[in-house]
Amino acid sequence: MTELELEPGFYLLPKGMLPSVVVCLEMTERPAPREVPAPEGLTLRHVERPELGWYRALFAKVGEPWLWYGRRLLSDEQLAAVIHDPGVEVRVVELAGSPEGLLELDFRKPGEVELVYFGLTDALIGSRAGRWLMEQAITLAFRQPIRRFWVHTCNYDHRSALDFYRRSGFVPYRFALDLDPDPRLTGHLPMDAAPQAPVIP
């Protein structure tokens, strides 16, 4: 990650590049626990050493509408090195046995936990499932002493994502700009993914 020294102004980016404005958030102490019962038929299952094809399918199902593409850029060997690491925990939200959400936590850096991926499919968005899943995430992150629990969101996430994280106890602490080739143009995502982000070839 590079810290840029930019003058205030308006910058035209090369065509084919996808910029995202990122908000970094953290919580440095566990908020008071909330009683949020699991919606009917919903379970959270820890998947140890996820099979790569299964993980890629879940990642696509949950993240495609929001331009999740980071894991799609990895080879099988690179992906396995991450999600099979003992310090990375992958959990799937299941609704009556159907995979409908992803929770991924990274414990590899001592004293902190990253909420790497947190998402639900359309089948659960707008229900109480998000609140319930966040309470599970916070409990898992703070099950041992840590200095901070952190996450980032961007302008391509659900329009309520930032407010949701803030209501959950996260505090914004920094902006960032992420600039990559548009994954729809490189073939890593279908061209009709995330229509809220125009494709500019």
Side-chain angles (χ1 to χ4, degrees):
M1 186 178 298
T2 303
E3 186 163 335
L4 300 178
E5 295 183 7
L6 296 176
E7 295 293 328
F10 186 85
Y11 294 88
L12 288 174
L13 299 177
K15 289 186 175 182
M17 300 299 286
L18 183 74
S20 11
V21 178
V22 178
V23 181
C24 304
L25 305 100
E26 66 182 357
M27 59 172 69
T28 55
E29 58 183 23
R30 198 214 192 286
R34 299 182 298 177
E35 281 294 329
V36 186
E40 186 175 354
L42 213 61
T43 57
L44 183 63
R45 180 169 63 90
H46 184 196
V47 183
E48 296 188 43
R49 294 186 65 82
E51 193 275 323
L52 299 187
W54 175 89
Y55 177 91
R56 290 187 188 279
L58 178 63
F59 185 86
K61 183 177 182 180
V62 176
E64 195 168 282
W66 317 112
L67 277 180
W68 289 11
Y69 62 91
R71 295 288 192 248
R72 291 179 181 244
L73 305 180
L74 303 181
S75 67
D76 284 353
E77 292 76 15
Q78 291 169 325
L79 178 61
V82 175
I83 64 174
H84 292 169
D85 190 292
V88 174
E89 297 184 2
V90 175
R91 286 176 167 78
V92 57
V93 179
E94 295 177 323
L95 177 62
S98 173
E100 302 293 346
L102 173 62
L103 171 64
E104 188 172 326
L105 299 168
D106 189 336
F107 292 83
R108 289 178 293 179
K109 189 169 183 179
E112 64 180 58
V113 178
E114 180 184 0
L115 179 55
V116 186
Y117 289 107
F118 179 99
L120 301 168
T121 66
D122 284 344
L124 294 175
I125 290 176
S127 69
R128 291 181 299 124
R131 289 184 58 203
W132 167 77
L133 183 59
M134 180 56 74
E135 192 62 25
Q136 308 309 305
I138 292 171
T139 299
L140 290 165
F142 283 94
R143 68 180 184 260
Q144 56 191 15
I146 57 172
R147 294 189 304 275
R148 71 175 190 136
F149 183 31
W150 68 279
V151 66
H152 63 262
T153 186
C154 79
N155 54 300
Y156 302 126
D157 280 343
H158 191 281
R159 62 185 179 277
S160 301
L162 180 57
D163 284 343
F164 172 79
Y165 286 130
R166 296 177 74 171
R167 290 196 309 271
S168 299
F170 288 96
V171 177
Y173 68 92
R174 192 150 195 184
F175 287 114
L177 178 65
D178 188 16
L179 188 62
D180 284 308
D182 191 320
R184 295 164 296 187
L185 295 174
T186 61
H188 291 95
L189 280 173
M191 289 294 288
D192 60 354
Q196 71 274 21
V199 178
I200 302 177

